[in-house]
Amino acid sequence: MATFNPGTGGTLISTTVEAAFLEACQLLQNAEVNTEVDNIAVNYFTGDNAVTVTGTFPLVQSLSSSGESIFTTTDFIDFTFANGGGDLNSNSLPKTVLELAQKLQILEKTQADAPNNVQVTYDTEAELITIAAETPIQFSVNATGAVEINASSYLA
């Protein structure tokens, strides 16, 4: 399990990176409903116990004062987002989705037996960021009969 500290009083409440990523992606998809923005799709598959996330975000690129490349996205959706501190640096929902996707990708690459579930691609010419993810989930039914979807931990 890749632990995640959401901080205090923020929008996100999940305590693993896998769950925080899914939470942020679902919030972003919900925010896009009834708008002309359609940059993310979150799809759940009950037979495979998997969720797929596909996203295409505008790319903003710059150089730091030391010459390092910086890639981020715009705040392309109107959503009041609160960063609770903790392990999160971003201050908007689109940037949070990107940050968490990058965290997952880095964790996958640094752990010997981890699957390659998350890919983040930067196209500097087209100025687009593409996120493609397929991660495990669990379905359950709570005490009131509501179906719940939870991210499964797959990283150490």
Side-chain angles (χ1 to χ4, degrees), residues 26-155:
Q26 187 62 59
L27 286 171
L28 183 55
Q29 180 175 273
N30 291 353
E32 289 182 351
V33 172
N34 297 322
T35 71
E36 293 185 17
V37 178
D38 188 19
N39 291 354
I40 194 166
V42 181
N43 294 291
Y44 300 94
F45 298 93
T46 58
D48 296 333
N49 285 342
V51 58
T52 62
V53 175
T54 54
T56 305
F57 298 175
L59 169 67
V60 177
Q61 54 186 322
S62 61
L63 294 174
S64 72
S65 59
S66 61
E68 295 174 318
S69 297
I70 300 171
F71 301 114
T72 190
T73 190
T74 62
D75 297 332
F76 57 80
I77 195 78
D78 185 24
F79 183 88
T80 302
F81 182 83
N83 180 331
D87 295 335
L88 190 62
N89 295 311
S90 298
N91 59 4
S92 73
L93 187 54
K95 290 176 182 172
T96 295
V97 169
L98 177 59
E99 179 181 344
L100 291 169
Q102 289 176 301
K103 284 181 186 280
L104 284 172
Q105 186 178 43
I106 290 166
L107 285 168
E108 288 175 357
K109 292 175 111 8
T110 59
Q111 295 179 15
D113 296 331
N116 182 16
N117 289 346
V118 179
Q119 299 84 43
V120 180
T121 307
Y122 299 92
D123 184 338
T124 57
E125 290 299 318
E127 296 183 323
L128 293 174
I129 302 167
T130 303
I131 298 171
E134 183 174 335
T135 62
I137 53 175
Q138 298 171 341
F139 293 91
S140 61
V141 179
N142 70 20
T144 65
V147 175
E148 295 181 347
I149 302 168
N150 293 294
S152 297
S153 295
Y154 68 93
L155 297 167

